[in-house]
Amino acid sequence: MSAESWKLTLPCTRAEAEAIDASGDLGDAIPGDAVLMTTEEIEDDVESWRLDAYFEHEPGADTVAAVRALVPSAAGARIAVERLAAADWVTMSQAGLEPLSVGRFFVHTRAHADAVPAGKRAFLIEASRAFGTGHHETTSGCLAMLDGLADAAPGERFANVIDIGTGTGLLAFAAADLWPDAAVMGTDIDPVSIEVTQENADLNGVAGIDLVVADGTLDDAIVARAPYDLVIANILAGPLVSMAPEIASIADAGATIVLAGLLETQRADVVAAYTACGCSLDAVDRRGDWSVLRLRAGATRFVADGPFDPKGRDGWALDI
């Protein structure tokens, strides 16, 4: 760790905080070692949130401008720049990340490593360069959805699982734990996320997950392993809609598809895109403004009309 650590602080709104939490892509102007944390300042006040950005080195003007661009509501606010004393600033930045208990899973940072309850499957997931600590409603909702599938009577059984947009790898790890005999693949468009996932897999003793850097499903390794009987995609509404034919095409007939990263106001558009590919909606887990969807692929495996064109996709940005 560098002897010099720095923190930038700006006010923000809840919508901006959720957009930051839901997007792992912070742009080229923000260093890959940055840790961004959002905090509710006043309970139930959507305008009173705070963004803290931590860096190992003094941020330059371009970095400061990039952080400010994440919170347009703070355009006129003074950005607080603080030089921190030599300390483990990553641990400090995560002090507010309380452990998360979802079903049989317990997700925590090093700050709470001694708080794991007996009988829980613990995952140590630090806030990092990739999205998916479990604390956002989209990720915790997916964890609950997967846990519920295993606990159903009779519980679902899967043999071939893919987690698209794996982030930190948490959902892929959960699937591997719930269905230990299944082949599990984690993919992400961001090579950094795949690096982080491998680091987290080693840290948590998770073995046997195949990791692929891929744009959606456009990779030979993904296609070769298809069809999948469980498809997980926790990304954003725009890509979920535009990737519907891709995702449906790698799903087996009758497969379970878990989708997240969408606001409740975007649910109808996402469901319509998958219905057009022969899927049907089985369940919705609404968490605040966010929804997690469970769909069932059609009885006949979906075949796309033509090749997929990634240039035609919507941008990887949250539309709030």
Side-chain angles (χ1 to χ4, degrees):
M1 188 198 77
S2 169
E4 288 189 345
S5 301
W6 296 79
K7 181 174 74 168
L8 305 183
T9 301
L10 274 171
C12 66
T13 66
R14 186 179 75 173
E16 290 166 342
E18 289 175 339
I20 292 167
D21 289 345
S23 177
D25 183 8
L26 300 176
D28 295 335
I30 298 180
D33 59 8
V35 172
L36 272 57
M37 302 291 296
T38 57
T39 305
E40 186 180 29
E41 296 271 68
I42 301 175
E43 187 175 0
D44 296 329
D45 185 345
V46 298
E47 301 298 322
S48 297
W49 283 66
R50 186 184 77 244
L51 168 64
D52 294 314
Y54 294 83
F55 303 90
E56 289 188 344
H57 305 283
E58 182 177 7
D62 289 346
T63 299
V64 173
V67 172
R68 186 182 288 279
L70 295 173
V71 287
S73 67
R78 184 182 70 85
I79 190 166
V81 182
E82 180 182 0
R83 181 177 177 176
L84 304 175
D88 187 348
W89 61 271
V90 173
T91 299
M92 289 193 316
S93 73
Q94 294 168 357
L97 279 181
E98 293 299 319
L100 182 75
S101 183
V102 178
R104 72 199 71 198
F105 300 115
F106 187 80
V107 186
H108 65 95
T109 64
R110 284 188 177 88
H112 300 281
D114 58 351
V116 179
K120 290 279 189 176
R121 174 51 167 114
F123 290 118
L124 170 58
I125 305 289
E126 303 284 14
S128 66
R129 299 168 291 167
F131 171 63
T133 61
H135 290 78
H136 193 274
E137 288 90 338
T138 59
T139 313
S140 61
C142 285
L143 272 181
M145 189 75 76
L146 296 177
D147 188 69
L149 284 169
D151 278 346
E156 294 277 2
R157 294 291 179 266
F158 300 107
N160 197 16
V161 180
I162 186 168
D163 177 21
I164 301 171
T166 196
T168 61
L170 176 59
L171 298 180
F173 301 163
D177 185 76
L178 291 168
W179 300 285
D181 295 330
V184 179
M185 176 178 283
T187 80
D188 206 286
I189 193 173
D190 183 3
V192 171
S193 289
I194 295 302
E195 292 174 9
V196 170
T197 295
Q198 185 59 65
E199 292 168 3
N200 286 336
D202 296 341
L203 191 63
N204 287 280
V206 178
I209 294 179
D210 294 314
L211 300 176
V212 178
V213 177
D215 184 355
T217 68
L218 305 182
D219 187 273
D220 290 344
I222 296 174
V223 175
R225 279 268 291 270
Y228 301 87
D229 51 5
L230 174 59
V231 180
I232 308 161
N234 179 21
I235 43 179
L236 295 171
L240 285 176
V241 169
S242 51
M243 289 169 57
E246 287 180 52
I247 290 175
S249 71
I250 64 168
D252 204 355
T256 296
I257 301 174
V258 176
L259 305 178
L262 60 136
L263 293 164
E264 172 62 17
T265 56
Q266 299 165 324
R267 188 217 298 187
D269 290 340
V270 174
V271 171
Y274 286 81
T275 299
C277 298
C279 303
S280 56
L281 182 64
D282 274 359
V284 178
D285 183 351
R286 182 171 180 181
R287 296 180 173 235
D289 296 331
W290 302 86
S291 288
V292 178
L293 311 180
R294 190 179 82 236
L295 299 102
R296 181 76 59 182
T300 302
R301 188 176 171 193
F302 176 78
V303 178
D305 293 335
F308 303 118
D309 180 11
K311 294 180 180 178
R313 293 182 184 158
D314 294 329
W316 293 74
L318 190 64
D319 179 17
I320 298 181

